[in-house]
Structures are given as structure tokens and as C-alpha cells.
Amino acid sequence: FGSSRSSPSPTSPRAPPTSLAAMTESLQFRGALTGHRNWVTSIATTYEQSNLVVSASRDKTLMVWELTPDGEQVGYARRSLTGHGQPVSSVVLSSDGQFALSGSWDRTLRLWDLNQGAKVRAFAGHEKDVYSVAFSGDNRQIVSGGRDKTLKLWNTLGECKYTIQEDTHSDWVSCVVFSPSAKMPLIVSAGWDKLVKVWNLSDCKLRTNLVGHGGVVYTATVSPDGSLCASGGKDATAMLWDVNDGKHLYSLDAGSTVNALSFSPKNYWLVAATETSIKVWDLETKSVLDELAATAPSKCGIPWCVALSWSADGNTLFAGSTDGNIYVYEVGTA
């Protein structure tokens, strides 16, 4: 993805190459979505409903937000989803935007009907806190991981179809994600054992260990075309991998712990939430394109931003903070 894109940039019919176009682009602060009373741990968006954002928080709730692109405010809270008994660590949306799936420290996953604002069902089976959940591309399969060190595969009826117990992480699972590639269905997981693991979805067998991090890995993400994986954590390095052959491609210095990573769906960019800022890398030049600093740096070693999500069109970045706010940035031409 990136340099091989066939479609020109929407700004002009004969757009310059991405790297030149990106030189003039930066992220401008648009406003904040306020309502959570504790860390915003996860943010989800979807292509089908571009004005819908759902967030998860340590305040034990999920918030459903309506964006108001032309309004004074960036958006407002439409409803709060309550029911988890502990902090909510992770949220994803079905591709049609009708359902949200959450994972919590209360050891359960919950599926929510966003039109009704109600829980459809709870998924019980993990023996300890759930740290991460993901939907497959067709929304028919669900993967989860957490403190019990296992990965579990579920259907949408809440039935656990498989628990991966072979070749698993030897420590907590911090992050799980499906590769968006339909040709090669894979799961990527990251763990406190410093490893990133790639699994075949077809047989739930380990495909490769991505070895190289010098500390706990907090986050892993796969590029929109399924070719690249980026991972980051305690060692302050974003590592880029070829998902299919498991090769380490290159590393980017983040300067401090990496709490979240997200590939832009539009530009050849990778965004990292570090302890003190949000870094935007242009992957073509491997240089820092932009850096967004915290308005009020947090005290006593608490990080600033711990969740990142792009709008489906890649024009808006949502950053979830430990102060309970979601900061909203728009890609603009400087």
C-alpha cells in the first residue's frame, strides 16, 4: 500500500507522488470529545458510518459519539453503554457500524447493538482480564486475548470455537488484530513476552514469531492492504515487519514507550502514541512528518495518549487520552 496506489490523491487529478504531497500536509487540532471520566483505552470507527465513533474507557463504559463535521463542536456523546463491571480495554466495530464489540478487565467480551444501545450478549471464557478484541473482515469471527495468556476465537453467538494454547505467549497478551487480507487470513498478536506472533486463521497454528523487541510489546497493527505489520512498546521503537514472510524491514525511533500505533488508510503514514506526544512518520522517507505534543503534559509518569484511530477516509485522527478526552485532528495542507 502507499507508493503502489493506483488512485490519485483526491486533491487534484494529477497529484504529485505521496511523499511530495505529504510534505505539505500536517495534522490540525479540531477539538475534543469529552465525557469519559477515566483513561480512553480504545477508539473504533467504520467506513459505512463516517460520523460514528465508539470509545472504551477505564470508567467501565463505552461511549457512542456522533461527529458534527460542520458544527462548532467536533461532536457529541449520543449514548453511554454500561454493563461491564471493570475497565473496558478494547472496542471494535462491525463494518456496517451496527454493532460494537468490547473487551474488559471483568474477563468478558460484550456485543452491543448500537441502534438499541443495548447489550446483545456477553462472552465468558477468559480466566483473567481481557486486554484486546478484534473482528475478522467478514465480521463472522472474533479473536480476544489478555492476562490468561491465551487467544480465543469466537463466533458472534458468543460461542468459543477455539482456544489457542500451543506456541502461545509466555506472558500477558496485550493486543490482537486480524489481517485485513482476504487472500491470507491471519491473526497478529503482541505480548508482554516481547514477541509479536502471526497465526494462520484457518488452523489456528503459529505461522511466525516476529522477534526483535527489547521490552514488553503493547501494540501491533496491520496496514490496510495486509502487507505490513507495525509493533511497539516499552523499548521505544516502532518495528515494521513483512507480515507474509515474517521479515523485519526497519525500525523507527519513537523516543519513549509506544502505547498505540495506527497506519493511515489514506497516506503512507504510521502514527504512534508515545508517552509525551503523537508522532507521524512518512514511511516513504522514514522521517517524522509531524509531532503533536500534549497540551498539558501529565504528571507522575502517566502517559498522555494511549489510543489511536483514523477515520475510514484517513482525514481525521482520534487520540484517546489518560485525561478522559478524545482529541480530534484533521489532515490539512499547511
Side-chain angles (χ1 to χ4, degrees), residues 35 96 102 110 176 200 217 309 323 325:
D96 61 9
S102 57
R110 282 171 189 250
V176 290
N200 290 315
V217 186
S309 181
D323 63 13
N325 290 325

Side-chain angles (χ1 to χ4, degrees), residues 29-88:
F29 180 62
R30 168 92 167 73
L33 299 170
T34 59
H36 279 301
R37 296 184 307 280
N38 207 326
W39 293 29
V40 177
T41 52
S42 184
I43 303 167
T45 60
T46 182
Y47 183 74
E48 289 287 319
Q49 296 201 37
S50 56
N51 288 332
L52 170 74
V53 174
V54 179
S55 56
S57 170
R58 286 194 181 181
D59 67 12
K60 306 180 190 173
T61 72
L62 298 149
M63 293 281 257
V64 183
W65 307 89
E66 178 90 30
L67 300 178
T68 46
D70 306 320
E72 298 252 310
Q73 295 288 328
V74 67
Y76 64 94
R78 216 168 68 195
R79 56 166 46 119
S80 168
L81 304 175
T82 58
H84 278 299
Q86 291 289 329
V88 188

Side-chain angles (χ1 to χ4, degrees), residues 221-264:
T221 186
V222 179
S223 63
D225 70 347
S227 67
L228 293 176
C229 168
S231 56
K234 204 79 177 145
D235 67 4
T237 306
M239 297 186 88
L240 278 291
W241 314 83
D242 181 312
V243 176
N244 297 309
D245 66 12
K247 276 201 190 73
H248 172 242
L249 301 172
Y250 53 91
S251 295
L252 300 164
D253 179 12
S256 65
T257 299
V258 178
N259 295 302
L261 287 167
S262 185
F263 285 99
S264 160

Side-chain angles (χ1 to χ4, degrees), residues 305-320:
C305 172
V306 288
L308 287 173
S309 181
W310 285 97
S311 59
D313 63 9
N315 290 325
T316 310
L317 178 69
F318 302 95

Side-chain angles (χ1 to χ4, degrees), residues 2 16-18 31 50 76 79 94 117-118 120 135 150 168 188 196 232 260 265-267:
T18 315
S50 56
Y76 64 94
R79 56 166 46 119
S94 60
V120 180
F135 261 129
T150 67
T168 44
V188 176
V196 177
K266 176 176 129 180
N267 296 299

